Amino acid sequence: MNIEIIGIIAAILTTSAYVPQAYKIWKTKKAESVSLSMYLVMCLGVSLWLVYGIYYRSPSLIAANTITLVISLIILYFKIKSKKN
Amino acid sequence: MNIEIIGIIAAILTTSAYVPQAYKIWKTKKAESVSLSMYLVMCLGVSLWLVYGIYYRSPSLIAANTITLVISLIILYFKIKSKKN
């Protein structure tokens, strides 16, 4: 098995892992036990990975981190919204 | 600013982001709104990143993904434990 296939599967899994979390908060309207700090730090970190990817013009870094940033921002939005309610 | 510094800060942030989530579940003993699927998929994905890092003998990939795997496994353990109670 080509090692790059392992890398691509790894990237797809670690990127799509956030989808069930976003879906769960959206469906249940509850985010009490989800950590606000985690998603604040994650959004900042993923943004820096994106800068790094853009610098190296790496399509995989740019694609994976753009998707992760969007889903993390959605989770962050749900979390902040649920705190206000 | 050196782009590699951006990369190192990005790696530290996206790795340490899981710490407040693990701490929150441990402290409150609640993990209701944390997604089980997210951490199952994340552990699998990070394990594959680790395989990829070991293949390329990349210290940063190995270090970052070992730490993320350990913290994700702790969150997964807390989540499964809280479901049983």
Side-chain angles (χ1 to χ4, degrees):
Chain A
M1 196 188 208
N2 192 313
I3 189 71
E4 289 310 319
I5 295 173
I6 302 273
I8 291 165
I9 298 171
I12 292 170
L13 289 176
T14 51
T15 303
S16 58
Y18 296 92
V19 176
Q21 180 66 78
Y23 178 73
K24 184 169 186 152
I25 304 177
W26 174 77
K27 200 184 163 196
T28 62
K29 311 284 176 215
K30 282 181 185 169
E32 203 193 357
S33 51
V34 169
S35 164
L36 177 66
S37 314
M38 169 174 168
Y39 288 95
L40 283 173
V41 176
M42 190 57 81
C43 286
L44 186 61
V46 170
S47 302
L48 291 184
W49 272 130
L50 196 54
V51 170
Y52 189 84
I54 290 166
Y55 180 89
Y56 281 111
R57 295 178 189 186
S58 157
S60 20
L61 273 178
I62 295 170
N65 288 294
T66 301
I67 298 167
T68 308
L69 182 60
V70 170
I71 309 173
S72 297
L73 282 171
I74 292 171
I75 295 172
L76 198 60
Y77 168 77
F78 284 154
K79 172 66 186 175
I80 294 167
K81 206 181 152 197
S82 79
K83 269 203 158 185
K84 281 188 183 162
N85 293 339
Chain B
M1 194 186 206
N2 192 311
I3 189 71
E4 288 310 318
I5 295 173
I6 301 273
I8 290 166
I9 297 170
I12 292 170
L13 290 177
T14 52
T15 303
S16 58
Y18 296 94
V19 177
Q21 180 66 76
Y23 178 73
K24 184 168 184 151
I25 304 178
W26 174 76
K27 200 183 163 196
T28 62
K29 311 286 175 215
K30 281 180 186 170
E32 204 193 355
S33 50
V34 169
S35 164
L36 177 66
S37 314
M38 169 175 169
Y39 288 94
L40 284 173
V41 176
M42 190 56 82
C43 286
L44 186 61
V46 171
S47 302
L48 290 185
W49 272 128
L50 197 53
V51 170
Y52 189 84
I54 291 166
Y55 180 90
Y56 280 111
R57 295 179 188 184
S58 157
S60 21
L61 272 178
I62 294 171
N65 287 294
T66 302
I67 298 167
T68 308
L69 182 59
V70 170
I71 309 173
S72 297
L73 282 171
I74 292 171
I75 296 172
L76 198 58
Y77 168 77
F78 284 154
K79 173 66 186 174
I80 293 168
K81 205 181 152 196
S82 79
K83 269 205 159 184
K84 282 188 182 161
N85 292 338

